[in-house]
Amino acid sequence: MNVQISRSLGIIAALYFTANFSAQTTPTDTVQKEQKIEEVVMIGYGTQKKSNVTGAISSIKASDIEDIPAGRPEQVLQGRAAGVSVISNSGQPGSPATVRVRGITSFGAGSNDPLWVVDGIVVDNIAWLNQADIEGMEILKDGASAAIYGVSAAKGVILITTKKGAKGRLNFSYNGFFGVGSAAKKLDLLDASQYATIMNEANVNDGRDPLFSNPSAYGKGTDWQDVIFNSAQRSSHDFSISGGSDKSTFYTSFGLYEQQGIVMRDISNYKRLNARINSTHKVFDYLTIGQTFAYTHTKSQGINSNGEFGGPLSSAINLDPLTPVTVTNGISQQPFPSDYTNPYIVRDALGNPYGISHYVNKEMSNPLAFQQTQLGRYNWSDDMVANVFAELKPINHITVKSSLNGKLSYWGNQGFTPKFYLSPSAKNDSFNNLFRETQKKFEWNIENTINYQNKFGLHNLNVLLGQGYYEYNISSGQNVTYTNLPVDNWQDASFNFEIPQKDRSTNAWDGKETHKTSYFARVVYDYDNRYLFTGTMRRDGSSKFARAYHWGNFPAMSLGWNISNESFWPENNVVNSFKLRGGYGVLGNDAIDDFQYANFLIPGSNYSFGDDNIHIGYAPSTLENPELRWEKTSQLNIAADLKLFKNFDLTVDVYKKKSTDILRRINLPGYLGLINNPWRNIGDMNNNGIEVSLGYKKNWDDFGISANGNLGFLKNEITRLEDDKIFENFASFQSMGAVSRLQVGSSYGSFYGFQNAGIFQTQAEIDAYKNANGGLIQPNAKPGDFKRTDVNGDGRINEDDYVNLGNSVPKYTFGFTLNMNYKNFDFMLFAQGQAGNKIFQGLRRLDIQDANYQTAILDRWTGAGTSNTIARVTRDDPNQNYTRMSDYYLQKGDYLRLKLVQIGYTLPKNISETIGASKVRFYVTGENLVTFTKYTGYDPEIAGGDTFGIDRAYYPQSRTFLFGANVQF
């Protein structure tokens, strides 16, 4: 189904809601204020009442995400908070998501990933975290709330707390599900007869003879998508035990998650094992100690998930449908029988050779044959994340806390490459090899804080002083490769074989350690819950900069006014509470390698000097830049929080976010002889946006409903590049070159190319398109070719005529969840989407003339008046219709996805108690059921780190149906 979802901002705001349900039987609006539990949120190194928060913080509770069957914990953020964009990098099992808080903050130093803080531990990712262990998540979006983390916080901060034990009886919980997924969509590709017809036409258009005498005789041919797509199982099992006494509490959990890929599951799958133990112990009335420890093991196999250069997806899209999957009717009947005489040709279990395309070559190969060469390859990781802390309360109002935090990671990969022959251009007929690589990294920090909290009269004061020391990238790695093993399959390959030394290669390396020291302070004050103030200062010192720029200061301040707490505010049933808040903060970024300000001699410049011997040489790595300094991001946030009609909650944030002195490498001429281009502070960028959240909640005796909608609008603009440079090429595609740019005045990663002005219908139109000198503007054009717009009017068509064709980063993001409960039944519906962006559909290989097409090519130009949007087919393409970037390749990326539908039933207590359980719930879930979009590729949700909206054969997300159970004892 197709709908256009970017027409009306007002419609979107009205439609997309997020709902959470309460099992209360007493109507919420009849509960007295003094009986309500004040909601508390994490603010970094502490907590604060939500009603007194002055920064932009979005909260997500365990109850909001516990029934979402996400493969990675960051995916549960999708559609849950305004201004937070979460886009899947791939539908491949175990693939991460790209998380961006209030847009793109930098375009030079490091990624734009937010800072992850789990139980106070700063980590580089949360792939190791078990979703079932999450108690809550807070997203610090603005400068005022995130400034407590200083240099690491420019790209947003996401705080995660894991579950803890509680005083009382022992609690046991199980939550698990099992389901099956499949591809939600297939591309419309040419079948064999259509393919032969189009190839004939392309040859005739280029003055050649047709390739095929009778195209209709080929029928449907091979559907390569049917070859690669399969059903895929998915399961999860989580167990937890918790409890405690007056002195000690604990929480222990174990988890197992397994998922097969919907594309060739034998080489696309993921498995994760989790274990955790959290505990706290009250040693004395004034001393509490505790710890958290998590261990995660993962093992995965994967394919090229968004790449045009090989892999099952790209091959299935580009391979001709004339080639059979396997050859069973005689090799002599194949176009090139000699291909099948190679001794290393890959065969199926019955000994039949897999089909080899005569028309489509390079990296494109039979997916089933390719799969045989990849068996036995896998990636693995072991992560251990832990902290220990001691909290001392020596006198009233004073709390002293010290914590030691660390993460130890081991990871690597292993695989066997046999001798194989997939095609003349995809083969390995020289030697086999067995390889293994292992790496490890240890990072640790110690943080000490003193907190003073007191209430005197109508004054509430909280003062925090802190200090931290951080060690990063204590790392090393090694790899080994054995070649010419006396085996021909991965099952028999082993490093125990005795082979000559010449067939062994090893390599090892050590990482560069990075150090940081920090001092921070925060004052939180309110007068009578009416006038609110928060002030923060953090001072970070980093080893990444020269002595004069070691230290950076990151201040922030925010104010709030609870207007509805004033005596002049009348009691009314329209606006029940009203708070204004605003803040300003400066944050930093130092995500570059160590010592980039200096010019060091490094090895690698080997040379010979008057003899045949090679001498180890050293050369300057780059040019020194002693003025290299912090990249800074300042952010102003103005907002209002309202409660309306007792049941509605409305929050509106308006922000201006400016990044200055962005750290980037400058491009210098090669004749300078530098190994690496030097770093400089050479970029500025703005992100301005509006965020709206609207909630509704109401409960009756047997029925409950609540809703909370979120919508984010973002405008991004690059305002400065290196010196006087106007633009810099960004993402490229095959031989086409750059398809997007970083350009002053445009959004990050905007698509640039030719603007087509239709198609030349006749030779007369080509002859009439002349420059001021009377020459043809497109001399290589023929009827049926694109007419390019001469934007600058110089009478020539070249890259000077490139124009901004659209944004790769979405302007709008939104989410929708609806939960309802009636007696023992519950229902949840969750949808999310984006709008205002374009997608570059680069599914066809430009350098393979006979690659297959999508069926849209059937509407090509075939004569005057037949088409004004799709050019004629041609192999040579003298007008470069398909080999140069233009608006032909761009489609709207707007979509609305019904992400989740879940129906659950909880057994009556008298039944569950017969088995000793306090709760037994069963549920059925449908995931990715429907996507409303005009995009014609597999999936409009496309990211890949900081490159958005380029479809190179994107691994789609699966449509999955799951059955699960939750049992608590």
Side-chain angles (χ1 to χ4, degrees):
M1 292 185 285
N2 296 322
V3 296
Q4 186 174 355
I5 60 175
S6 59
R7 293 179 180 175
S8 171
L9 189 61
I11 293 176
I12 294 174
L15 290 179
Y16 302 114
F17 298 89
T18 302
N20 296 300
F21 281 78
S22 170
Q24 292 177 245
T25 57
T26 304
T28 303
D29 54 2
T30 65
V31 180
Q32 297 298 315
K33 288 184 179 179
E34 58 269 19
Q35 294 178 309
K36 293 182 178 179
I37 299 175
E38 187 73 52
E39 187 174 351
V40 174
V41 299
M42 295 289 298
I43 58 173
Y45 304 101
T47 60
Q48 188 177 14
K49 291 191 300 183
K50 186 176 181 179
S51 61
N52 287 347
V53 168
T54 53
I57 301 178
S58 293
S59 296
I60 299 172
K61 301 181 181 65
S63 57
D64 299 328
I65 61 175
E66 60 187 1
D67 295 324
I68 298 176
R72 296 260 303 209
E74 69 267 28
Q75 292 172 342
V76 301
L77 292 168
Q78 190 174 53
R80 303 285 168 177
V84 180
S85 172
V86 181
I87 305 176
S88 174
N89 286 3
S90 167
Q92 184 159 263
S95 178
T98 295
V99 181
R100 297 293 176 261
V101 178
R102 291 187 167 179
I104 303 297
T105 304
S106 177
F107 51 84
S111 72
N112 281 277
D113 294 336
L115 178 71
W116 300 97
V117 183
V118 182
D119 292 328
I121 309 169
V122 176
V123 292
D124 54 355
N125 65 74
I126 58 170
W128 52 273
L129 183 62
N130 187 358
Q131 176 188 327
D133 291 335
I134 297 175
E135 179 67 28
M137 309 171 81
E138 263 78 37
I139 307 167
L140 313 184
K141 298 187 289 187
D142 69 327
S145 61
I148 195 66
Y149 290 99
V151 70
S152 304
K155 298 159 186 177
V157 181
I158 300 181
L159 308 177
I160 300 176
T161 54
T162 59
K163 295 176 180 178
K164 308 295 189 295
K167 174 185 174 182
R169 63 189 291 269
L170 197 66
N171 295 295
F172 174 84
S173 177
Y174 166 78
N175 192 7
F177 62 77
F178 175 83
V180 178
S182 60
K185 177 183 180 180
K186 286 174 54 180
L187 299 181
D188 293 325
L189 299 174
L190 299 181
D191 63 25
S193 294
Q194 294 168 332
Y195 173 84
T197 299
I198 292 296
M199 291 302 110
N200 277 353
E201 185 176 316
N203 275 270
V204 171
N205 286 342
D206 291 336
R208 299 186 181 92
D209 294 330
L211 286 176
F212 308 100
S213 59
N214 185 13
S216 61
Y218 291 100
K220 296 294 183 182
T222 301
D223 187 335
W224 290 107
Q225 292 181 96
D226 283 347
V227 172
I228 65 166
F229 284 119
N230 50 245
S231 61
Q233 295 182 3
R234 185 171 164 194
S235 64
S236 177
H237 305 280
D238 291 297
F239 304 86
S240 68
I241 305 173
S242 63
S245 64
D246 292 334
K247 296 294 184 180
S248 298
T249 61
F250 76 95
Y251 170 86
T252 301
S253 69
F254 306 92
L256 170 63
Y257 178 87
E258 295 182 283
Q259 183 179 1
Q260 297 174 336
I262 60 171
V263 179
M264 311 202 81
R265 57 178 173 249
D266 288 344
I267 57 172
S268 176
N269 49 74
Y270 176 76
K271 181 178 182 180
R272 185 182 67 232
L273 294 167
N274 295 90
R276 170 176 290 276
I277 180 167
N278 296 343
S279 67
T280 57
H281 311 278
K282 193 170 186 179
V283 181
F284 304 107
D285 289 341
Y286 56 84
L287 177 63
T288 300
I289 63 173
Q291 59 76 225
T292 67
F293 174 79
Y295 166 75
T296 302
H297 171 76
T298 66
K299 183 177 181 181
S300 63
Q301 293 177 281
I303 65 171
N304 193 342
S305 58
N306 190 20
E308 68 270 38
F309 298 113
L313 269 166
S314 185
S315 293
I317 295 169
N318 285 276
L319 278 174
D320 63 275
L322 302 178
T323 300
V325 177
T326 56
V327 177
T328 59
N329 59 351
I331 292 174
S332 60
Q333 300 181 28
Q334 299 304 307
F336 272 78
S338 59
D339 284 342
Y340 296 91
T341 62
N342 191 289
Y344 304 116
I345 192 169
V346 183
R347 300 175 181 272
D348 66 9
L350 300 176
N352 298 312
Y354 287 107
I356 298 174
S357 175
H358 169 55
Y359 307 101
V360 181
N361 46 42
K362 295 188 182 291
E363 300 87 359
M364 303 298 110
S365 58
N366 189 314
L368 289 181
F370 171 81
Q371 177 177 256
Q372 297 301 312
T373 70
Q374 303 298 302
L375 294 174
R377 293 173 178 254
Y378 64 89
N379 301 300
W380 63 272
S381 67
D382 288 300
D383 292 287
M384 287 155 278
V385 182
N387 81 337
V388 293
F389 69 87
E391 189 174 88
L392 180 67
K393 296 184 177 181
I395 59 175
N396 288 339
H397 312 301
I398 297 290
T399 302
V400 180
K401 184 176 181 180
S402 292
S403 61
L404 178 63
N405 315 302
K407 181 183 179 185
L408 177 61
S409 299
Y410 295 87
W411 71 96
N413 58 81
Q414 180 169 319
F416 176 72
T417 303
K419 293 182 180 180
F420 61 80
Y421 183 87
L422 303 179
S423 72
S425 54
K427 59 184 177 179
N428 175 38
D429 54 8
S430 53
F431 52 79
N432 61 32
N433 73 79
L434 177 66
F435 64 89
R436 176 184 293 163
E437 180 175 294
T438 59
Q439 298 189 60
K440 69 175 181 179
K441 181 168 69 173
F442 177 54
E443 298 183 336
W444 67 274
N445 66 75
I446 185 168
E447 293 182 320
N448 305 293
T449 59
I450 301 176
N451 188 263
Y452 171 80
Q453 185 169 6
N454 197 7
K455 180 177 182 180
F456 39 95
L458 298 177
H459 304 273
N460 291 281
L461 179 65
N462 186 302
V463 180
L464 172 75
L465 297 175
Q467 173 270 335
Y469 178 76
Y470 309 84
E471 287 273 359
Y472 300 107
N473 201 37
I474 305 171
S475 60
S476 63
Q478 54 275 322
N479 59 39
V480 58
T481 302
Y482 279 19
T483 59
N484 289 315
L485 273 69
V487 297
D488 59 6
N489 62 81
W490 66 273
Q491 295 96 331
D492 296 330
S494 171
F495 288 104
N496 291 326
F497 284 109
E498 288 291 335
I499 62 174
Q501 191 62 44
K502 66 180 181 63
D503 291 331
R504 309 182 187 192
S505 64
T506 59
N507 190 27
W509 59 92
D510 292 317
K512 295 179 181 178
E513 297 180 22
T514 300
H515 320 280
K516 188 175 75 177
T517 299
S518 302
Y519 303 94
F520 48 92
R522 179 175 61 211
V523 176
V524 180
Y525 168 80
D526 76 80
Y527 176 76
D528 195 25
N529 291 324
R530 288 186 286 165
Y531 311 120
L532 318 171
F533 169 81
T534 300
T536 304
M537 170 62 76
R538 179 149 180 154
R539 181 170 170 82
D540 287 320
S542 172
S543 63
K544 295 186 177 183
F545 301 101
R547 185 178 299 277
Y549 294 97
H550 268 333
W551 293 91
N553 298 318
F554 305 99
M557 183 186 73
S558 57
L559 301 170
W561 182 18
N562 273 319
I563 303 175
S564 54
N565 287 345
E566 295 285 358
S567 58
F568 61 76
W569 187 266
E571 288 277 346
N572 65 88
N573 293 324
V574 179
V575 182
N576 312 115
S577 67
F578 181 23
K579 179 174 69 175
L580 289 176
R581 52 184 170 84
Y584 178 83
V586 179
L587 308 171
N589 179 29
D590 68 342
I592 60 175
D593 290 336
D594 218 352
F595 307 119
Q596 294 301 307
Y597 61 87
N599 181 8
F600 289 98
L601 294 177
I602 61 175
S605 299
N606 301 335
Y607 64 95
S608 60
F609 190 76
D611 53 32
D612 294 330
N613 297 323
I614 301 297
H615 302 273
I616 295 176
Y618 292 80
S621 60
T622 187
L623 296 178
E624 67 177 358
N625 180 10
E627 295 186 353
L628 196 67
R629 60 193 180 275
W630 303 90
E631 175 183 312
K632 291 187 176 181
T633 297
S634 59
Q635 190 172 169
L636 174 67
N637 192 87
I638 305 295
D641 302 319
L642 300 94
K643 191 172 188 65
L644 308 170
F645 306 104
K646 296 185 179 181
N647 300 111
F648 289 90
D649 292 288
L650 174 66
T651 296
V652 180
D653 284 81
V654 180
Y655 64 89
K656 294 179 70 68
K657 178 178 174 182
K658 183 176 182 179
S659 298
T660 56
D661 288 337
I662 290 175
L663 290 160
R664 306 188 67 236
R665 290 189 186 273
I666 61 173
N667 296 312
L668 294 179
Y671 59 72
L672 292 178
L674 299 176
I675 296 174
N676 298 312
N677 284 322
W679 286 86
R680 283 180 55 193
N681 298 90
I682 49 169
D684 298 335
M685 181 168 59
N686 294 335
N687 287 280
N688 301 325
I690 301 172
E691 299 166 356
V692 180
S693 296
L694 178 63
Y696 172 80
K697 187 174 184 179
K698 184 77 172 180
N699 289 280
W700 293 267
D701 289 339
D702 293 326
F703 180 72
I705 185 172
S706 66
N708 180 36
N710 65 80
L711 168 69
F713 165 76
L714 172 69
K715 181 181 179 182
N716 173 275
E717 182 182 4
I718 295 172
T719 57
R720 180 172 71 96
L721 288 172
E722 172 189 345
D723 301 327
D724 297 326
K725 183 179 287 188
I726 300 300
F727 76 88
E728 183 176 307
N729 289 332
F730 188 48
S732 61
F733 180 76
Q734 296 182 29
S735 57
M736 185 182 291
V739 298
S740 64
R741 290 179 177 177
L742 303 177
Q743 177 151 333
V744 174
S746 295
S747 173
Y748 170 92
S750 292
F751 293 113
Y752 272 79
F754 291 125
Q755 183 74 54
N756 292 321
I759 289 177
F760 290 115
Q761 300 296 324
T762 63
Q763 184 63 43
E765 292 182 7
I766 298 173
D767 295 340
Y769 196 36
K770 297 180 178 180
N771 56 34
N773 297 323
L776 296 180
I777 293 179
Q778 289 182 240
N780 295 324
K782 294 182 179 180
D785 286 339
F786 284 128
K787 180 181 180 181
R788 311 292 199 190
T789 302
D790 182 15
V791 175
N792 62 1
D794 66 355
R796 297 178 299 170
I797 299 299
N798 53 35
E799 288 193 13
D800 292 338
D801 296 304
Y802 273 19
V803 296
N804 190 333
L805 300 174
N807 299 328
S808 63
V809 179
K811 289 184 178 180
Y812 303 97
T813 56
F814 39 86
F816 168 53
T817 305
L818 174 64
N819 292 345
M820 294 185 292
N821 65 288
Y822 177 72
K823 293 186 177 180
N824 289 5
F825 290 93
D826 60 83
F827 171 81
M828 176 174 66
L829 182 149
F830 170 51
Q832 56 81 218
Q834 63 187 34
N837 65 300
K838 295 289 184 67
I839 296 176
F840 176 91
Q841 195 194 81
L843 299 179
R844 187 174 185 270
R845 280 290 292 270
L846 303 177
D847 56 344
I848 302 177
Q849 295 177 326
D850 294 326
N852 202 7
Y853 288 88
Q854 295 183 61
T855 55
I857 201 67
L858 298 177
D859 295 325
R860 70 211 175 278
W861 185 94
T862 56
T866 56
S867 176
N868 204 37
T869 56
I870 302 178
R872 67 191 180 101
V873 291
T874 166
R875 290 164 54 89
D876 297 341
D877 197 13
N879 192 58
Q880 297 182 314
N881 296 319
Y882 299 108
T883 55
R884 294 298 300 272
M885 175 60 178
S886 74
D887 54 5
Y888 167 78
Y889 281 101
L890 297 182
Q891 299 181 19
K892 287 186 176 182
D894 306 355
Y895 76 87
L896 168 63
R897 171 168 286 158
L898 186 57
K899 189 72 176 178
L900 204 69
V901 174
Q902 187 175 105
I903 300 174
Y905 178 75
T906 302
L907 294 179
K909 281 192 174 182
N910 61 336
I911 297 178
S912 58
E913 288 175 352
T914 60
I915 60 172
S918 58
K919 177 182 178 181
V920 178
R921 176 178 175 266
F922 300 99
Y923 57 91
V924 178
T925 301
E927 188 180 32
N928 298 323
L929 297 180
V930 181
T931 300
F932 299 88
T933 184
K934 287 189 174 182
Y935 181 62
T936 60
Y938 285 121
D939 195 331
E941 185 182 336
I942 300 173
D946 287 325
T947 302
F948 294 83
I950 299 181
D951 190 350
R952 306 172 188 270
Y954 181 80
Y955 194 132
Q957 299 181 63
S958 64
R959 177 184 292 150
T960 307
F961 295 92
L962 305 158
F963 174 78
N966 178 273
V967 182
Q968 297 178 16
F969 293 93

